[in-house]
Amino acid sequence: MTASRATIFALAAALVVSLAGCSAAESPDTKAPQASDKISIDEFSQVAAKLDFSTELAALPLDQYRTQSPEYLAAVHRSMESVTNSCLKKQGLAPVKDAQEQTQNLPAPDRTFGIWGVGEAEAFGFAVNPARSKPQVNTLDRGTAYNEALGQCMEETRTQLSETLEFSQAPDIEYKISQAVHEHVVESKAGKQALTDRYTCLKDAGLVTDSETLWISEQYFSLPPADQIPVAVSTARCSVESGAIQTLFDLTARYQSAYMAIYEAPLAELQKQQSEYRSKLERVIATGEVEGAKTNG
């Protein structure tokens, strides 16, 4: 992976976006969650997901254990920015941007089960609101020498924060539970019915659909952005009006709750590790230095 010297922290963004999970906070003796597990959600029938239809964000029980929470990922970004800026300052160069002044953007929408924000669809079609992406700063006007130094500092930052990045990248118990839960939801009787109900709505709306995936034709996503908007709006409305999106996320919340009861100890250990790493990140953000860090060369 190479750093783009035209934009700040493209390397950092690529690293964080590509995260697949968290640190493995589970004992080698702990059986990993699997889609084939026999899981009952009967005792969790009152559990429901809290959906924000304006932002397409779902609040779920397992969120408290997510290393990839918006707050944690923001801390990772800010720590990388802080170390890189510190490196630049040591060379007598101006920081690209003060890491202390970074603002958090609204997280990306949760489209695990497809688009469901009608307002977002009306404005952006299937695309995500650009304001929900991390802004990048162009440094071309600072010249070749500055950008070469920036690239070197970013590589050094990656090395110094390698332990934190490795923690973020290793599939952990929360990630494995999430994977198993998704399979349970879409294969459950209630989940299949919800998907079928939405599929019927999509067909009734005159959209070209795929009977195997119970979804709209992939060809719609290749249309010009403006042509995608009416399709995205109809799709989002069907997700909501058929009741499918609420049902699918409610099922997710219930299966998550069932797994959380089974994996209480490993999840508690994961949360402890996350707290320790978050404290390290806050110190890095404040000082621009990584205690005991590795260095290149």
Side-chain angles (χ1 to χ4, degrees):
M1 185 181 296
T2 58
S4 167
R5 299 190 180 162
T7 54
I8 180 174
F9 309 119
L11 173 64
L15 282 169
V16 176
V17 168
S18 67
L19 301 184
C22 320
S23 172
E26 77 183 272
S27 165
D29 297 327
T30 302
K31 178 181 177 295
Q34 298 178 12
S36 59
D37 294 333
K38 300 297 182 183
I39 299 293
S40 172
I41 59 173
D42 291 347
E43 64 179 291
F44 303 102
S45 60
Q46 300 305 309
V47 176
K50 184 177 180 180
L51 305 185
D52 185 331
F53 290 88
S54 63
T55 61
E56 286 183 286
L57 294 176
L60 297 162
L62 200 58
D63 288 351
Q64 61 187 299
Y65 299 104
R66 289 179 60 207
T67 296
Q68 290 190 57
S69 67
E71 296 77 18
Y72 187 86
L73 294 184
V76 172
H77 274 298
R78 291 177 63 205
S79 67
M80 297 187 79
E81 291 165 351
S82 184
V83 174
T84 301
N85 282 338
S86 179
C87 173
L88 290 169
K89 288 180 182 178
K90 289 175 183 177
Q91 300 179 56
L93 299 172
V96 181
K97 195 170 185 180
D98 190 343
Q100 298 287 355
E101 297 178 358
Q102 296 298 312
T103 58
Q104 285 191 33
N105 297 319
L106 193 66
D110 187 341
R111 293 180 179 173
T112 303
F113 303 106
I115 191 170
W116 50 285
V118 176
E120 291 281 284
E122 290 174 336
F124 306 103
F126 290 110
V128 175
N129 182 349
R132 298 175 79 159
S133 301
K134 185 173 177 57
Q136 296 182 332
V137 180
N138 194 312
T139 59
L140 285 174
D141 60 351
R142 302 194 185 190
T144 299
Y146 183 93
N147 282 280
E148 287 183 349
L150 173 59
Q152 293 168 0
C153 284
M154 288 167 66
E155 290 291 348
E156 185 67 29
T157 295
R158 179 184 179 184
T159 300
Q160 291 187 33
L161 287 169
S162 60
E163 181 183 346
T164 299
L165 294 173
E166 288 167 5
F167 169 78
S168 301
Q169 291 167 341
D172 68 5
I173 188 65
E174 181 273 333
Y175 174 78
K176 293 175 182 178
I177 288 175
S178 295
Q179 296 294 98
V181 163
H182 181 76
E183 292 301 316
H184 280 292
V185 169
V186 297
E187 292 299 326
S188 68
K189 181 178 180 181
K192 288 180 178 180
Q193 185 60 56
L195 293 171
T196 299
D197 290 344
R198 180 175 63 184
Y199 175 67
T200 300
C201 177
L202 294 170
K203 288 196 300 180
D204 290 345
L207 298 179
V208 177
T209 54
D210 185 330
S211 59
E212 290 189 8
T213 63
L214 300 181
W215 190 230
I216 57 174
S217 170
E218 289 293 325
Q219 295 182 58
Y220 283 122
F221 301 102
S222 300
L223 293 175
D227 294 338
Q228 290 184 15
I229 289 179
V231 180
V233 171
S234 294
T235 304
R237 282 179 176 158
C238 279
S239 289
V240 176
E241 293 173 4
S242 67
I245 206 68
Q246 185 70 61
T247 296
L248 292 167
F249 275 117
D250 283 349
L251 287 169
T252 298
R254 291 163 194 167
Y255 277 108
Q256 284 186 359
S257 297
Y259 269 109
M260 286 165 62
I262 297 171
Y263 290 92
E264 183 177 355
L267 285 168
E269 177 60 25
L270 171 61
Q271 206 164 46
K272 177 183 176 182
Q273 291 179 357
Q274 290 169 340
S275 178
E276 292 170 352
Y277 274 96
R278 182 61 184 266
S279 295
K280 291 180 182 179
L281 289 173
E282 292 300 334
R283 290 195 293 271
V284 171
I285 292 167
T287 65
E289 303 291 337
V290 182
E291 186 176 347
K294 305 173 185 177
T295 58
N296 289 325

